[in-house]
Amino acid sequence: MLLERDLIQSVGFRNVTEDGRVTGFQFRLRMPSYRGMAASLIDGVAVRVGDIIDVGPDVPLWTFGERTYTLHQLWGSDGVRWPLEEAAVVTVPLEGGLPQGIHELSIELRLRMSYIPLEHQPTVHRTSRKVTLSPEIGDGTFRYGVSLYSFMGDYGTVMDLETALAAVADVGATGVEILGEGHVPQYPEPSAAWIDNWFSLLERYSLEPTNYGSWIDTRLHPGRAMTVAEGAEALQRDLRLAHRLGFGFVRPKIGVVSSDLVPDPIWTESVERSLDLAHELGVIICPEIHSPTPIRHPVVEDYIGLIERTGTKNFGLLIDTGIFQDRPIPLREGETRETRPPFLDGIGVDPADFAGIAPYVVFIQAKFHDINDQLEDQQIPWRPVLQSLKDAGYTGYLSSEYEGERTPWRSIEQVRRQHALIRRIAGELA
């Protein structure tokens, strides 16, 4: 499992509960040196959180492995080490813990370096970071998950599979989405060892597979169209792999023939040829309704038409909440309003439109782009969106899909913010 670059790790920032009572909070610290060292060389860590708490270096407790120590116990320890590759867990006693939300966490970490003259000791590392307290589970209206697409700027560079799943579990989510060709090595034939590790990690972090992303690349061969048989073969290949990995939903991203994302005409027969297999495997095929396609659109009507015509229970709709975006995404470097797709300014679908398709919706990707330091989403109006979902009786997954700036590690904190925000709102809904 890899660590974030900041000394203060966002994963692991949470309140501590003992015997049903909140007794403090904890966070994880990365070793700031270029080497690991004996824990007895720690001279403590002073911690301040805004105007809530300010404690001296001898107050926090330290956890290495399975054991927790006071600072004085560390000084007398022998063989306890703070490895470079593992974070230390710091616990700060605080009756009632911290309130939910974003906090400015500041530390002053003191280490004794034997090879630096005594008059310059201890070596002090001061840093601050705004980090979101691990959100509460919520009121039970919805289920919560995360798509590993949220971490795609980090995945394979500063994040591996276990790091990603640990970040998902740390926000209290129970479901995880993947992209077949994004997260499965040696796709479409992963090794038995990788599959064993996949299920082992799911068990370790108490996660269930939810939605598997796949593609029907209708422009696969230049100069000729993909046939229905080829489309069905591509879909069925991923249905089988998704089933092997424990997924109950498969989102096929089907090639499009227009700017409003009308799918290639082969989609209908390719899907119908695959319904028996989907039924056999217990998998639901769910193409996404994605901006710039609104809810009231022929594409949606055609999908619903297939469901009603066939009576299938193995085909449904996936809603991407980007369709509800009502404020523009900021321009990126080199972009102008004239040179980028207009839908990035938001198509502003009325959340009330969800009621008309609710019986056909099986999964929701909770798309978002930026949540600020005040825990306010800058593009998606979550309160009316979540109210409409609840009023329509939707109780399935809200699966975070972060699609904002890909600065390293930013996605981890943004997902934490989204979960804190939408769970708070869900708990306040009428």
Side-chain angles (χ1 to χ4, degrees), residues 195-213:
I195 293 176
D196 288 345
N197 184 58
W198 163 251
F199 283 110
S200 175
L201 291 174
L202 291 177
E203 182 177 7
R204 180 180 307 170
Y205 293 105
S206 300
L207 296 172
E208 70 166 336
T210 57
N211 182 47
Y212 171 103

Side-chain angles (χ1 to χ4, degrees), residues 94-281:
L94 177 64
E95 193 65 31
L98 295 172
Q100 293 296 308
I102 300 172
H103 295 279
E104 178 96 30
L105 175 59
S106 301
I107 65 159
E108 184 179 273
L109 173 64
R110 304 177 183 189
L111 302 173
R112 290 192 314 282
M113 300 296 190
S114 303
Y115 49 86
I116 294 178
L118 190 60
E119 62 266 27
H120 299 299
Q121 288 301 293
T123 297
V124 179
H125 300 269
R126 297 180 180 89
T127 189
S128 294
R129 184 179 185 184
K130 288 183 178 177
V131 60
T132 306
L133 197 69
S134 185
E136 296 175 351
I137 296 301
D139 70 338
T141 300
F142 308 109
R143 304 179 74 186
Y144 298 96
V146 178
S147 171
L148 296 195
Y149 171 77
S150 300
F151 306 135
M152 284 315 291
D154 295 327
Y155 199 86
T157 56
V158 297
M159 177 181 276
D160 59 13
L161 179 61
E162 181 171 3
T163 308
L165 295 182
V168 172
D170 198 61
V171 296
T174 59
V176 60
E177 286 187 75
I178 69 167
L179 308 177
E181 291 187 81
H183 299 106
V184 180
Q186 299 176 323
Y187 169 92
E189 294 294 338
S191 68
W194 186 88
I195 293 176
D196 288 345
N197 184 58
W198 163 251
F199 283 110
S200 175
L201 291 174
L202 291 177
E203 182 177 7
R204 180 180 307 170
Y205 293 105
S206 300
L207 296 172
E208 70 166 336
T210 57
N211 182 47
Y212 171 103
S214 71
W215 284 262
I216 299 178
D217 283 318
T218 52
R219 302 189 190 106
L220 186 62
H221 300 291
R224 75 168 180 86
M226 176 175 275
T227 66
V228 166
E230 289 171 330
E233 180 183 7
L235 178 55
Q236 291 171 24
R237 174 191 63 207
D238 281 290
L239 289 175
R240 292 186 176 93
L241 180 53
H243 174 69
R244 287 179 67 194
L245 299 180
F247 289 90
F249 301 98
V250 168
R251 180 236 61 193
K253 189 171 276 294
I254 306 163
V256 300
V257 296
S258 68
S259 60
D260 55 349
L261 308 187
V262 172
D264 189 290
I266 71 165
W267 83 264
T268 307
E269 193 173 346
S270 294
V271 166
E272 289 197 42
R273 290 189 184 189
S274 304
L275 289 177
D276 286 345
L277 177 61
H279 177 73
E280 176 188 330
L281 299 175

Side-chain angles (χ1 to χ4, degrees), residues 14-34:
R14 59 165 57 87
N15 279 328
V16 177
T17 301
E18 297 178 359
D19 299 323
R21 184 169 59 92
V22 179
T23 59
F25 65 92
Q26 64 184 200
F27 58 93
R28 296 164 68 239
L29 273 184
R30 180 175 65 80
M31 164 56 70
S33 181
Y34 59 89

